[in-house]
């Protein structure tokens, strides 16, 4: 096996690990929003001060974005999905910071932002490797 094939395979493995972790987190975090679990509604509406109707919208958007990044192909939709899911995480983190939530309650969001960044970076490395 050539060095180029080894690098391509390693890139693909890293991409799928990061993408499954990130996509899985976003997918599973969408379910409570979609089915209107009281704690999810409370978090978004009472604690973060967003309108209640926004909860289901966020859930559906996260579900669709997760599906888009987990299904191979559809590069343009995948770009929008990465952007939307990243905006969701950034907005949630910023909202908590702006409301004075202690860092130990929101800093874990940085893990998921790092997964998003890693998945996106390796998505493009993978695309570049397949088009060369």
């Amino acid at each position: 096996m050539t060095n180029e094939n080894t690098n391509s395979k390693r890139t693909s493995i890293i991409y799928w690990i990061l993408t499954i972790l990130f996509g899985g987190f976003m997918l599973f975090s969408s379910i409570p929003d979609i089915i209107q679990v009281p704690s999810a509604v409370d978090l978004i509406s009472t604690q973060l001060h967003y309108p209640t109707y926004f909860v289901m919208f966020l859930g559906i958007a996260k579900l669709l974005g997760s599906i888009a990044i987990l299904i191979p192909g559809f590069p343009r939709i995948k770009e929008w999905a990465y952007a939307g899911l990243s905006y969701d995480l950034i907005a949630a983190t910023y909202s908590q910071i702006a409301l004075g939530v202690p860092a130990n309650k929101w800093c874990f969001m940085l893990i998921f932002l790092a997964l998003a960044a890693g998945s996106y970076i390796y998505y493009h490395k993978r695309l570049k490797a397949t088009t060369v």
Side-chain angles (χ1 to χ4, degrees), residues 27 29-37 40-41 55-64:
L27 180 69
S29 73
S30 74
I31 295 168
D33 298 344
I34 293 169
I35 62 174
Q36 302 284 294
V37 171
V41 173
V55 178
M56 186 172 291
F57 172 79
L58 283 176
I60 292 170
K62 288 192 284 188
L63 174 69
L64 294 174

Side-chain angles (χ1 to χ4, degrees), residues 81-126:
Y82 275 114
L85 294 171
S86 296
Y87 292 144
D88 174 70
L89 288 171
I90 291 166
T93 305
Y94 176 76
S95 295
Q96 291 181 27
I97 293 168
L99 290 170
V101 173
N104 66 338
K105 300 234 181 192
W106 58 259
C107 67
F108 77 94
M109 298 289 281
L110 300 177
I111 295 167
F112 301 109
L113 283 165
L115 285 173
S119 174
Y120 184 75
I121 289 165
Y122 274 88
Y123 168 66
H124 279 280
K125 283 185 177 189
R126 199 166 160 253

Side-chain angles (χ1 to χ4, degrees), residues 45-85:
S45 64
T46 306
Q47 294 176 33
L48 298 180
H49 305 290
Y50 289 107
T52 306
Y53 64 81
F54 203 55
V55 178
M56 186 172 291
F57 172 79
L58 283 176
I60 292 170
K62 288 192 284 188
L63 174 69
L64 294 174
S66 300
I67 292 168
I69 67 165
L70 290 169
I71 293 176
F74 309 102
R76 186 161 310 216
I77 292 171
K78 205 172 286 284
E79 289 287 334
W80 281 91
Y82 275 114
L85 294 171

